[in-house]
Amino acid sequence: RKEVEQDPGPFNVPEGATVAFNCTYSNSASQSFFWYRQDCRKEPKLLMSVYSSGNEDGRFTAQLNRASQYISLLIRDSKLSDSATYLCVVGGGSYIPTFGRGTSLIVHP
Amino acid sequence: NAGVTQTPKFQVLKTGQSMTLQCAQDMNHNSMYWYRQDPGMGLRLIYYSASEGTTDKGEVPNGYNVSRLNKREFSLRLESAAPSQTSVYFCASSPAEAASYEQYFGPGTRLTVT
């Protein structure tokens, strides 16, 4: 089993839709969780950290489920500009974090 | 602030040639990293430097060497390039251990080895 797994997609949704991605992790000792966004042919950039209590930033909500070992990202009212690849990153147990392979989102008019 | 800068942006090498990818950060971060990204493989860590004066192997170090020249600069060297090293290379930095802190990435170097 891979350490961090994501559905590669693509998720193809219309503008205004709500879309959710999940990311599962195998190391129960993991302590840190992040979502990064990567645009085509660009570098990854932090979208949000994921806290135990969950957190929200505008249209984006991130949640952590330790019992089932997954994190989620919910995007409400999707915009064309949300089209990107979303990378799940999990840390803990070693110095460096583990990246998932990413989930591709395409928002169409 | 420029953040993390990388040079060159693009490079084409012939098999067996050598080159050094340069990376610099101006955020006074302790930790720096080199990743490669290939289609369908995600980001894979090549080497990292937890602090000035230290370097450690990551997941895929074979064929590469690194130098942490000072706190700002972390270079990646390919001694004898192979077609399997065709990839996009990203440098990143973080305040401390990347497992707990956000990483800031450079714009990447697109390397083709023929």
Side-chain angles (χ1 to χ4, degrees):
Chain A
R1 180 182 174 186
K2 296 188 184 68
E3 289 188 54
V4 177
E5 292 201 53
Q6 296 183 251
D7 181 342
F11 285 66
N12 205 319
V13 303
E15 271 185 294
T18 295
V19 61
F21 314 132
N22 281 346
C23 165
T24 58
Y25 61 94
S26 60
N27 184 354
S28 60
S30 298
Q31 296 294 327
S32 307
F33 309 89
F34 307 90
W35 283 104
Y36 281 72
R37 171 192 168 128
Q38 186 173 24
D39 293 300
C40 187
R41 300 180 69 80
K42 298 285 191 181
E43 71 272 25
K45 292 183 180 178
L46 182 72
L47 179 66
M48 53 198 309
S49 303
V50 186
Y51 305 122
S52 296
S53 55
N55 46 303
E56 188 173 310
D57 183 2
R59 299 182 293 109
F60 299 84
T61 300
Q63 303 233 311
L64 168 63
N65 185 317
R66 284 194 185 274
S68 300
Q69 294 185 204
Y70 73 87
I71 64 173
S72 63
L73 178 68
L74 180 80
I75 305 174
R76 290 180 297 277
D77 188 22
S78 297
K79 311 290 184 193
L80 295 176
S81 57
D82 293 334
S83 297
T85 297
Y86 292 83
L87 305 174
C88 166
V89 182
V90 177
S94 69
Y95 187 88
I96 54 176
T98 302
F99 281 76
R101 295 184 180 185
T103 297
S104 175
L105 171 65
I106 301 170
V107 182
H108 58 83
Chain B
N1 285 349
V4 180
T5 57
Q6 290 183 237
T7 55
K9 286 189 167 51
F10 302 92
Q11 184 71 50
V12 179
L13 291 178
K14 294 188 189 318
T15 297
Q17 287 185 318
S18 62
M19 79 162 294
T20 300
L21 281 62
Q22 307 285 355
C23 173
Q25 52 93 7
D26 62 3
M27 295 174 282
N28 201 36
H29 285 169
N30 288 316
S31 303
M32 298 185 73
Y33 313 83
W34 276 105
Y35 292 91
R36 61 178 288 174
Q37 188 173 38
D38 304 293
M41 296 296 294
L43 280 160
R44 292 185 291 171
L45 185 67
I46 305 170
Y47 271 94
Y48 68 99
S49 170
S51 60
E52 186 179 354
T54 69
T55 61
D56 285 284
K57 294 178 181 179
E59 183 184 354
V60 289
N62 291 346
Y64 306 94
N65 284 302
V66 290
S67 295
R68 184 75 183 265
L69 304 169
N70 46 55
K71 191 170 186 179
R72 289 187 65 248
E73 298 172 287
F74 188 38
S75 63
L76 178 73
R77 183 159 179 84
L78 288 71
E79 290 292 351
S80 179
S84 61
Q85 294 178 304
T86 293
S87 189
V88 180
Y89 291 85
F90 289 105
C91 176
S93 70
S94 65
E97 68 274 13
S100 302
Y101 292 87
E102 174 185 1
Q103 292 182 81
Y104 295 79
F105 287 82
T109 294
R110 283 172 172 72
L111 176 66
T112 301
V113 183
T114 61

